[in-house]
Amino acid sequence: MKARAPNAWALALVAAAAAGSAGAQGVSRLRCEGLVEPAVLDCAAPRFSWAMDSGARGARQRAYQLSIADLTPGAAPLAEIARVDSDDSQWVVAPGFKPKPGASYSWRVRVWDERGRDLGWSAPAAFAMGLMGRPWPAKWMGDGAEVPLNAAPPARYFRARFYAGAPPARARLYVSALGIVEPWLNGQRVGRDYFSPGWPDYRRRAYYVAYDVTGLARRGANVIGLVLGDGWYSGTLMQNRQAGKEPLVSAFLEMTDASGAVSVFATDSRWQCATGPITAQGIYFGESFDARLDDPGWCDPSAKGSAWAWKPVHVADSGRIALTARISPPVRACEEIRPVGCREVRPGVFLYDMGQNIVGWARLSARVPAGREVVMRFGEMLDGPDRIYTANLRGANATARYTGNGSSGQAWEPRFTYFGFRYVEVSGLARLGPDNLTGVVVQADLERIGRFECSNPLLNQLYANTLWSQRGNFLEIPTDCPQRDERLGWTGDAQVFSDTANYNYACGPFYRQWLASLRDGYVDDQRGQAGFPDVAPDTGGLGYGSAGWGDAAVIVPYVTWLHTGDRRLLEENFPAIQRWVEAMARDNPDGIRRSRRSYGDWLAPGFSPDKAPTPYVLIATAYFARDVDIARRVAGELRRESARVRDEALLRKVRAAFRREFIAEDGRVASDQQTAYLLAIGFDLVPQALSAKVEAQLARTFAQKRYHLATGFLGTPLVMPVLGRIGREDLAYRVLEQESYPGWLFSVRNGATTIWERWDGWTPAAGFNTPSMNSFNHYAYGSVVGWFYGTIAGLRPDPEAPGWRGFRVEPSPGGGLSRAGASVETPYGTASSNWRISRGVFELAVAVPPGTSARVSIPAASTDQVKEGGAPLASLAQASGLADASGRATFRLESGSFVFRSPYRAEP
Ligand code: BGC
């Protein structure tokens, strides 16, 4: 199909048109520790990153200079740091800079380009430090009541009044909680974060956050307020699990006057607590709000009084709680959605359709008579034309209730809960229209960096569905699902999805924080019971070390390092990785990992969830090898020689054991399932001598299924990469483009707007699958999207130069595609690869950011056939190392934008 020039292609050409011209020059994308203006860094040497902007070909930074200013009132100015001749622009430590606890800084950077020209100073960016070992000066307080299992108690309101003699020149509010807290100051909500300070492994730590409240604090009377919900602490998680009984909060306000004098006001026995309008709340439960009980002046110093029954707080003895600065970006409301439909389905019952399965909540804007209750129920699907489907929410009550006070113009939204939904059923009012309800999308506030587009609208929809499932399940931690009474950090789901996730969003600090929970949950009883938890944060007793699950602690840091180049991810996780590898070696002396329990190739079609035929022991041994392989690479990267040598020997042993135990002479791998072959090939477990046979067997298993999938959570992510790797991209495309069950496009064909947990979550013939496990928003099968970026468009990070300093541009046209493209906002700038086939010509537009280089591989009989801007490739100054290899021209490409053309025969 030759449509008009598509967006991605047109944009690529516009970018390419800038090739050779200088373009905008300067410095941008300032990050500190990989974050946009972080507020609580807890490290002795923060690392700085920036991008040099230039459209010039061959652009590259030659030198840089950092400047850091202490913003603490009364602080002495810092000396400018000397110019450094280096092309480093990522994770750079400022020589001689020693940050002070709690201090705020502003920094900027100046760069010189490849011709030695000064591109000037960047705009400034801020960062602030956390406690850095300083003691937490505040007490922990609660309301003294314990929360029973499965209860949904009212939110607790805390407040205290204090006087400031002078207007503070700087005020910072530090907050921690066992539970989730919304801070207020002088009648204003502080910040825009939800579910703060987050969800750690509470047995080991609590997180804290800090907000700059200089603009809210004032001279004279001030009131601080804290609203505390149960969240993941005293809220009951699947099933009957509770981290603690009494939610607690602790906070302090640090004020600095113009002379630099510091005063602190902290939580203690002087505070009061009360219940207010939030009469019930819980993550699975939902939220109930009675507007008649609201008191807008509850933390306003000028309010005359309060109708609430304020009482003394319970000061808890929690001195042993270890406090850790939060590093992951907060959860925020990131988008609003207008309903695409609103119908009265029964008298007084309205059904809203958001047109998209989202995660968050709905905002109700309506006049609700005093005492009238409006009930909002949420569902992902419809069960018949007029009824939302809620059976798959299992025990999650997932309902929002609002009781009116008769005033008009009121808008209300819950905030101590969230829902996974496309449909909302609203009852309690006689008249409602589309304007009365807004969908609020709530997610970790990460930067979207990746984009993909191609000529097949179904694949584009699959891509969009994956993106939405990531957004919906990147809520504080990577969760399995957002709707039923589960929503846990299932590690298997997370590891298979981590490559895709890192393409779509800047996930470094998000995963870095979650990995701490994985490490916190590690167990080893020295008697064959070792492993990282199957869910992190560990909610207790859901399993440890299951093959493909606990292995996330090894795989996710490595994959995330490839995408971000953040070595600290490796340094922080390596000891735990190595400990785990050694425990496996100890417990499995013959190299076969006889895992006790597992989930197998979870949810492979046609079997009950954990009964897929690929043997557990095979899967476990394959992951044993995978872990050891990563461990030795990480050891090499970190120059831990003795560990690397040991890991290499262990890897040889496990590979040999796998070969002995599972691969037959005719190339059959035990159980003869797609997944068994995919693991064997994908994790490098097939000896050279047998590889042709094993590959032929794999191809046969796909032919036998008429090019459908027989894979579950663990086999599916390997389908496309492995078929490609054995030179069968034709097969890969054939499987990918399959529209019938079981295949990726089946759910798309059936109207999915997110990735389903099961291949057959709903079918025209059988309707809904079993409600006990049937999420319509589970990202695991969306793991194929990494292949969209990395192989269809051909854009992928290079392990030799992680974090996109070096990358591949290796597009693989195939199937019915006539064009495809992807871009990634890398730390150095935009990298992109967009191709199209038109009139027998393969055209490829490539953007390589300043300071990076790409290894390009274009389908072409030889490099002589490739032209750039009409000129032979050999004359392109930025291309080097030209070589021909089996139908592809390869070369190394320096920065700039380019359009390559080569004759192409196999036009689709
Ligand atoms: C979750 C999965 C998870 C699995 C473990 C399910 O309940 O939703 O996604 O990985 O349990 O087997």
Side-chain angles (χ1 to χ4, degrees), residues 307-397:
W308 297 354
W310 292 96
K311 54 177 194 169
V313 296
H314 166 230
V315 173
D317 171 26
S318 296
R320 284 178 307 280
I321 298 173
L323 283 159
T324 301
R326 180 188 174 82
I327 54 171
S328 182
V331 175
R332 292 195 173 131
C334 291
E335 190 179 337
E336 300 203 342
I337 305 260
R338 304 295 321 153
V340 297
C342 168
R343 284 184 300 131
E344 186 166 20
V345 287
R346 288 182 291 287
V349 179
F350 295 84
L351 181 64
Y352 284 85
D353 179 1
M354 295 296 159
Q356 170 64 49
N357 195 16
I358 64 170
V359 172
W361 50 68
R363 181 188 310 128
L364 175 73
S365 315
R367 201 191 81 81
V368 181
R372 177 80 62 82
E373 185 181 67
V374 180
V375 179
M376 294 188 252
R377 295 172 64 233
F378 299 82
E380 298 181 289
M381 301 284 271
L382 291 183
D383 193 5
D386 296 340
R387 204 172 290 278
I388 56 169
Y389 177 69
T390 55
N392 69 333
L393 306 183
R394 302 194 309 213
N397 179 59

Side-chain angles (χ1 to χ4, degrees), residues 238 394 480-481 484 486 490-493 549 599 602 713 757 773 778:
M238 180 187 125
R394 302 194 309 213
D480 59 335
C481 61
R484 67 182 177 220
E486 188 148 7
W490 281 102
T491 48
D493 313 39
W549 267 254
Y599 307 105
W602 183 252
F713 276 28
E757 177 175 28
M773 232 191 58
H778 239 73

